[in-house]
Amino acid sequence: MIVDPLEALGPVLRDAARAALGEEAASSFDPALRGSDRADAQANFAMALAKKLGKPPREIAQAVAAKIDAPEMIASVEVAGPGFLNISLAPAFLGKAATHALGDSRLGVPEAETRDKVVIDYSAPNVAKEMHVGHLRSTVIGDALARLLAWRGHSLVRQNHIGDWGTPFGMLLEHLVDVTGEAGGGSDEASVGELGAFYKAARAKFDADPAFAERARHRVVALQSGDAETLALWKRLVAVSSKYFEDVYAKLDVTLTSADLCGESFYNPRLAPLCEELEKSGKAVISDGALCLFPAGFKTKEGQPLPLIVRKSDGGYGYATTDLAAIRYRVSELHGTRLLYVVGAPQEQHLAMVFAAAKELAWLAPPARAEHVAFGSVLGPDKKMLKSRSGDAVKLVELLDEAVERAAAVLSEKAPDLAGAEKAELAKAVGIGAVKYADLSSDRVKDYVYDPARMVSFEGNTAGYLQYAHARIRSMMRKAAEAGATTGAITILEPAERKLAIALLGFGAAVKSVEQTLEPHRLAGYLYALAQAFTAFYESCPVLKSEGEVRASRLALSDLTAKTLARGLSLLGIRAPERM
């Protein structure tokens, strides 16, 4: 059974259009259904058909409305405005659909009919550097999209494109040698220590000591030429960083692991052959000593073709070279059909040029396509980039720890009986959930202000509000079970029940919207509206105090709400505690 009202209404309206307008007019008929404040659903097809049929849109709408024949689904149809159809659904249909959703492990949301091999690039920290607030959005948004797309049945390949190669590694490896006393000596923990401090010490030495800087430059050459001793040092540095990344990802509760690492070093052996191939084929040309592609449609400020440099004039390679090698690998070897790049908005032109070049080279051809999942910045209270008191980027671990501490303080106030491991686990779920939800509930292309006090609140559009709504329902369900009450078939009698049922049946549409747009705030907004609908239902429709079939129905509606909230939050990467 199709439980999504908008999806269920589609075939009914198409049949009515065929009967009213004829086969030719109905062949490309789009009911243009959407939710409405004035009805359960609104169909806006008439405006689009008016010019094609040469008739007033209201007349078209009236003709189609007259042919609608689905009394088991539709209670009433009203022609409104210039030609909209306002549709009210039959209470029996809503009850039956909600009952079906409750009995379905997927809550009535099927897997996608057409499935992609999704290759998603997100997080991308740098080896030997601590993760900071700048890594938050890519990691959180990317992980939410990966979870949701996997739940829809798409095949997922996560690619954590870490910075693990290039000129900075000369100074880092030479500093590692200095710290250990000899190449390869000492333990990883003792030699690297805190990654941020290690990197800063290496940079300070490079800037202040010409002899060290010269050794660092030689070390880069040794690394690029495959010197065994230097590669062994490099592998140690990568291993320490990989362990650190995993610790941060565990704290943030995301699905990335070391198995998903595919950094710049992976593509290094592919860069020279790629450039040689492009040069020999004539697809790339030498311009001012550099090997360049000139994808169509990109111009400099002076109106000249804008180059995408694949090999620098000094023979070195840049991000464009690696990104072209990556896109080719992801299509030809990973067989990706939907490539997602969860990368900050400032990289828009760079990625657009890489995608355009890959298309012109026929490396990126249908069904494969690439999409830039752009996002804005995290701002401080002053509406500027969030910084620490010292002016540095805020360390991600410190930001997360602060959120958990704030959540623990709020829980101490609201639930003083909580203690020990239970309180600690709950504080983590609420604190980390608060950070994630604040990010995911914002339109990703916009900047947002990081406000930890508001984030951990249990009021308003926050993770805590949704988590508390879920826990409250679970508490009620436990009380019902203790009293011997059970769920039953859902029947819709009161307006608040109706609004809640319609909200619940919109879960699939919200998930599919994110699947298509890659905008997680659409699901977050849906969950907040659902929690509000449940609150209104709970306040006006007694659950435990009702009796018989009415109580069984309301318990079922409550149970479906809790399951939908829990599933929706899990798709965003947020835990839904059973007790709070």
Side-chain angles (χ1 to χ4, degrees):
M1 177 182 181
I2 299 174
V3 303
D4 184 338
L6 300 185
E7 191 174 337
L9 284 169
V12 173
L13 290 176
R14 290 188 187 92
D15 288 344
R18 189 173 291 107
L21 308 175
E23 191 67 41
E24 183 178 351
S27 61
S28 58
F29 177 78
D30 177 5
L33 283 158
R34 64 179 182 85
S36 172
D37 293 334
R38 299 181 180 181
D40 298 334
Q42 189 177 84
N44 300 332
F45 58 84
M47 303 292 284
L49 286 174
K51 187 174 182 180
K52 178 180 179 181
L53 299 179
K55 296 180 180 180
R58 191 173 176 88
E59 181 181 325
I60 295 171
Q62 288 171 333
V64 173
K67 294 296 183 179
I68 292 176
D69 183 23
E72 74 288 349
M73 183 185 302
I74 298 173
S76 66
V77 179
E78 175 191 21
V79 179
F84 306 132
L85 290 188
N86 286 334
I87 302 170
S88 293
L89 297 166
F93 167 76
L94 294 173
K96 185 177 180 181
T99 302
H100 177 82
L102 180 58
D104 179 19
S105 62
R106 293 185 58 85
L107 305 177
V109 183
E111 292 187 343
E113 291 184 9
T114 302
R115 301 179 196 178
D116 278 302
K117 180 72 170 290
V118 178
V119 180
I120 181 167
D121 180 331
Y122 66 106
S123 193
N126 292 309
V127 163
K129 283 188 176 182
E130 286 186 279
M131 292 180 70
H132 54 76
V133 68
H135 296 108
L136 176 65
R137 302 211 71 185
S138 176
T139 307
V140 168
I141 294 169
D143 203 62
L145 293 176
R147 289 170 185 263
L148 186 142
L149 292 169
W151 191 66
R152 281 287 286 155
H154 300 286
S155 177
L156 261 289
V157 179
R158 295 164 174 82
Q159 295 280 276
N160 194 353
H161 193 92
I162 61 172
D164 64 349
W165 199 254
T167 54
F169 281 86
M171 70 176 192
L172 292 170
L173 295 176
E174 201 61 30
H175 180 55
L176 182 59
V177 171
D178 286 354
V179 171
T180 57
E182 59 179 83
S187 69
D188 291 332
E189 292 77 6
S191 60
V192 177
E194 185 185 12
L195 289 173
F198 180 85
Y199 185 90
K200 286 181 179 179
R203 169 56 69 183
K205 193 184 297 184
F206 183 86
D207 293 339
D209 184 346
F212 176 83
E214 183 63 21
R215 284 161 45 206
R217 282 188 278 271
H218 285 297
R219 185 67 70 176
V220 172
V221 174
L223 177 65
Q224 294 177 340
S225 63
D227 174 68
E229 179 187 87
T230 302
L231 282 175
L233 285 167
W234 172 79
K235 287 178 181 178
R236 286 176 57 198
L237 206 55
V238 172
V240 171
S241 296
S242 176
K243 174 62 170 63
Y244 162 75
F245 296 152
E246 282 204 329
D247 290 344
V248 176
Y249 294 144
K251 185 182 287 286
L252 192 51
D253 198 12
V254 297
T255 56
L256 282 171
T257 69
S258 292
D260 303 314
L261 295 178
C262 190
E264 293 170 351
S265 63
F266 175 81
Y267 299 103
N268 189 58
R270 301 166 183 255
L271 303 186
L274 181 147
C275 290
E276 184 179 350
E277 176 189 335
L278 291 177
E279 187 172 13
K280 281 186 176 180
S281 68
K283 294 176 180 177
V285 297
I286 300 295
S287 176
D288 291 332
L291 184 65
C292 303
L293 292 165
F294 290 90
F298 296 91
K299 303 286 185 182
T300 65
K301 291 180 180 179
E302 293 74 29
Q304 298 300 311
L306 185 64
L308 185 67
I309 300 174
V310 293
R311 188 180 64 217
K312 301 175 184 178
S313 57
D314 63 2
Y317 308 113
Y319 291 126
T321 329
T322 304
D323 287 339
L324 283 169
I327 206 168
R328 192 180 201 183
Y329 166 72
R330 291 167 183 180
V331 174
S332 64
E333 297 182 51
L334 294 181
H335 308 294
T337 57
R338 192 180 191 187
L339 313 184
L340 305 182
Y341 290 72
V342 189
V343 179
Q347 296 301 314
E348 181 178 7
Q349 184 181 70
H350 168 74
L351 287 175
M353 291 182 73
V354 169
F355 297 164
K359 289 177 183 177
E360 291 177 9
L361 293 167
W363 296 350
L364 185 64
R369 67 273 192 206
E371 299 168 72
H372 178 199
V373 185
F375 54 85
S377 301
V378 183
L379 306 180
D382 57 359
K383 303 294 179 68
K384 296 180 181 179
M385 297 286 284
L386 185 64
K387 301 281 187 181
S388 67
R389 291 182 179 179
S390 65
D392 296 329
V394 177
K395 296 177 182 179
L396 186 52
V397 168
E398 292 179 356
L399 181 146
L400 299 177
D401 286 344
E402 181 196 10
V404 173
E405 289 171 7
R406 284 180 175 271
V410 172
L411 287 169
S412 294
E413 181 182 334
K414 291 187 173 294
D417 294 340
L418 282 173
E422 183 183 10
K423 180 181 178 181
E425 196 63 28
L426 191 54
K428 180 181 177 182
V430 173
I432 301 301
V435 171
K436 287 185 169 185
Y437 189 83
D439 194 307
L440 296 170
S441 60
S442 303
D443 186 341
R444 62 171 166 77
V445 299
K446 298 179 180 178
D447 300 340
Y448 77 93
V449 174
Y450 187 83
D451 183 354
R454 185 192 67 81
M455 290 176 183
V456 300
S457 171
F458 285 5
E459 299 176 358
N461 189 11
T462 64
Y465 175 75
L466 300 180
Q467 290 170 320
Y468 181 71
H470 172 266
R472 184 172 64 169
I473 298 171
R474 287 295 176 220
S475 174
M476 181 179 68
M477 298 302 293
R478 288 192 293 271
K479 291 178 181 177
E482 292 169 1
T486 59
T487 60
I490 295 174
T491 55
I492 305 301
L493 302 174
E494 300 294 332
E497 293 174 323
R498 180 185 187 84
K499 288 182 180 180
L500 179 57
I502 291 172
L504 287 164
L505 297 178
F507 180 49
V511 170
K512 293 171 190 176
S513 176
V514 179
E515 178 185 23
Q516 294 165 2
T517 66
L518 307 175
E519 296 174 345
H521 76 273
R522 294 172 180 263
L523 177 56
Y526 164 81
L527 294 173
Y528 179 53
L530 174 61
Q532 289 180 307
F534 178 79
T535 298
F537 157 78
Y538 185 79
E539 290 174 351
S540 62
C541 299
V543 180
L544 295 180
K545 291 183 179 180
S546 56
E547 298 178 350
E549 293 180 355
V550 172
R551 182 172 64 179
S553 170
R554 290 177 179 174
L555 282 171
L557 270 174
S558 301
D559 193 19
L560 180 56
T561 302
K563 289 180 176 177
T564 305
L565 286 172
R567 173 56 65 186
L569 286 170
S570 75
L571 295 180
L572 296 177
I574 297 171
R575 297 188 182 277
E578 294 287 311
R579 303 172 188 270
M580 286 182 72

